[in-house]
């Protein structure tokens, strides 16, 4: 009897997934469900993202961050569905529930506790703070601070990701590969130039190493990686035109990236580490902090 039940469940989910998987909103690519056999539990980055977003809902009790679509995750999804009156309240994470979850809990609410005047503890020598606009098509006013919290340079920054696969100009959301730059608190480090001036400019770049708070904490560096602060020799672009969108990186004017490099190395004692080109684990001690926050 149990075997028959499992076969029916598998057939139902197979049919449902093939009918709806193309409609699942990014970063979700498939319908997620609980399968009673431990060896068949669904797992992956989409489950990690789901569990982290569910943990922000008042409808859910503690959601263990296992990366497996286990019974506790099924119960949390069911509680979320009942609270928001979405889906069949059966614990199956499908299209309607996914859209509802992103609408309510994609924003991490991260606020830099000390955007100005934060004194950094060793080994950190600098901090870059980027307060985003509601519309990422409007470039943010970013500030470079030294370890004592003193502003050293202010510059326009564009944190808009790819529009691929989206409707309109809002960009792919920050949970998606090549989407908008993730928000939160991160560790960064100065690396030698990328070696591709057209796309990354001729100057040293700042590499995001990992996340400490907000969405960045669970996205970086294993779900999203290769996020840089850089410029480029972009065709048909010149200031003050809006900078081009990225694949998740932070874009800045060439003269600002040059100034940041010079301030960091000449005034703040930052070392230019050899470019790792995204290889992990990151081999150097990180020297900086990056905070990116959305408006309240």
């Amino acid at each position: 009897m149990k075997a028959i039940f499992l076969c029916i469940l598998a057939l139902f989910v197979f049919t449902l997934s093939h009918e709806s998987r193309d409609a699942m909103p990014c970063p979700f690519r498939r319908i997620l469900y609980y399968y009673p056999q431990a060896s068949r539990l669904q797992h992956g980055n989409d489950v990690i993202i789901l569990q982290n977003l569910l943990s922000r809902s008042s409808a859910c009790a503690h959601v263990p961050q296992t990366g497996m679509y286990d019974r506790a995750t099924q119960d949390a999804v069911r509680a979320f569905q009942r609270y928001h009156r979405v889906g069949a309240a059966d614990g199956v994470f499908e299209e309607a529930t996914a859209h509802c979850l992103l609408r309510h809990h994609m924003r991490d609410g991260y606020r830099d506790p000390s955007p100005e005047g934060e004194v950094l503890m060793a080994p950190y020598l600098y901090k870059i703070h980027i307060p985003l606009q509601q519309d990422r098509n409007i470039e943010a006013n970013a500030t470079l601070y030294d370890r004592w919290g003193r502003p050293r340079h202010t510059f326009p920054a564009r944190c808009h990701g790819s529009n691929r696969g989206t409707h309109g100009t809002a960009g792919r959301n920050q949970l998606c590969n090549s989407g908008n730059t993730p928000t939160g608190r991160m560790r960064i480090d100065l690396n030698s130039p990328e070696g591709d001036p057209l796309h990354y400019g001729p100057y040293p770049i700042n590499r995001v190493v990992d996340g400490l708070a907000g969405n960045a904490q669970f996205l970086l560096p294993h779900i999203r990686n290769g996020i840089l602060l850089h410029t480029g020799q972009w065709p048909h672009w010149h200031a003050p035109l809006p900078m081009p969108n990225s694949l998740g990186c932070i874009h800045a004017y060439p003269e600002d990236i040059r100034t940041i490099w010079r301030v960091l190395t000449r005034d703040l004692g930052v070392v230019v580490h050899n470019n790792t080109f995204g290889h992990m684990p990151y081999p150097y001690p990180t020297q900086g902090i990056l905070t990116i926050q959305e408006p309240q």
Side-chain angles (χ1 to χ4, degrees):
M1 193 70 182
K2 181 179 179 181
I4 295 175
F5 167 76
L6 293 178
C7 289
I8 294 174
L9 175 62
L11 179 62
F12 166 75
V13 173
F14 177 83
T15 303
L16 186 62
S17 64
H18 277 66
E19 289 177 350
S20 305
R21 64 183 176 185
D22 292 339
M24 290 290 282
C26 186
F28 304 109
R29 299 291 189 216
R30 55 180 175 167
I31 292 173
L32 297 170
Y33 62 96
Y34 171 67
Y35 202 90
Q37 291 183 345
S39 62
R40 300 287 298 277
L41 290 177
Q42 291 177 297
H43 58 90
N45 290 340
D46 51 355
V47 180
I48 294 172
I49 293 172
L50 167 62
Q51 290 172 335
N52 276 275
L53 298 191
L54 283 172
S55 68
R56 297 173 182 169
S57 173
S58 60
C60 307
H62 174 64
V63 184
Q65 310 297 303
T66 62
M68 309 287 289
Y69 202 93
D70 47 25
R71 186 180 294 277
T73 303
Q74 178 193 49
D75 291 343
V77 168
R78 182 184 292 113
F80 178 85
Q81 291 172 322
R82 287 174 176 167
Y83 182 83
H84 290 280
R85 299 181 179 179
V86 62
D90 55 2
V92 175
F93 186 71
E94 36 59 63
E95 178 189 355
T97 306
H99 279 289
C100 185
L101 182 67
L102 291 173
R103 184 168 60 252
H104 287 281
H105 297 300
M106 183 176 67
R107 293 168 62 104
D108 56 20
Y110 173 78
R111 313 302 299 173
D112 187 332
S114 303
E116 299 180 7
E118 179 180 6
V119 177
L120 299 173
M121 303 296 290
Y124 305 116
L125 300 174
Y126 66 103
K127 171 182 166 182
I128 296 173
H129 175 63
I130 306 179
L132 298 172
Q133 301 287 340
Q134 191 70 46
D135 181 356
R136 291 202 189 205
N137 288 290
I138 303 172
E139 290 163 358
N141 293 316
T143 304
L144 167 67
Y145 296 93
D146 62 24
R147 64 173 301 183
W148 305 110
R150 297 174 297 203
R152 304 301 294 259
H153 186 62
T154 300
F155 60 99
R158 187 172 185 85
C159 299
H160 192 300
S162 170
N163 284 327
R164 180 170 56 86
T166 66
H167 301 287
T169 61
R172 306 188 86 199
N173 74 59
Q174 61 180 287
L175 306 179
C176 304
N177 287 329
S178 76
N180 292 334
T181 312
T183 52
R185 187 177 181 93
M186 296 152 253
R187 298 195 299 169
I188 57 175
D189 198 32
L190 189 63
N191 281 192
S192 57
E194 286 282 298
D196 178 0
L198 178 65
H199 295 101
Y200 298 98
Y203 307 113
I205 53 90
N206 272 275
R207 178 175 301 280
V208 177
V209 176
D210 56 17
L212 301 174
N215 285 336
Q217 185 172 26
F218 65 85
L219 289 174
L220 304 171
H222 300 295
I223 296 178
R224 297 198 63 181
N225 192 22
I227 295 176
L228 314 174
L229 167 59
H230 69 91
T231 189
Q233 296 172 347
W234 303 304
H236 314 299
W237 176 86
H238 61 82
L241 292 176
M243 288 175 278
N245 296 335
S246 70
L247 297 179
C249 290
I250 305 161
H251 281 172
Y253 291 180
E255 58 267 29
D256 289 314
I257 294 297
R258 181 182 58 200
T259 297
I260 291 169
W261 159 48
R262 289 178 173 175
V263 169
L264 292 181
T265 55
R266 295 180 181 181
D267 300 341
L268 306 186
V270 175
V271 175
V272 180
H273 287 135
N274 290 334
N275 201 315
T276 63
F277 299 103
H279 293 301
M280 297 188 292
Y282 190 74
Y284 310 115
T286 51
Q287 302 172 89
I289 293 292
L290 170 67
T291 58
I292 303 177
Q293 66 184 43
E294 294 179 302
Q296 290 181 324

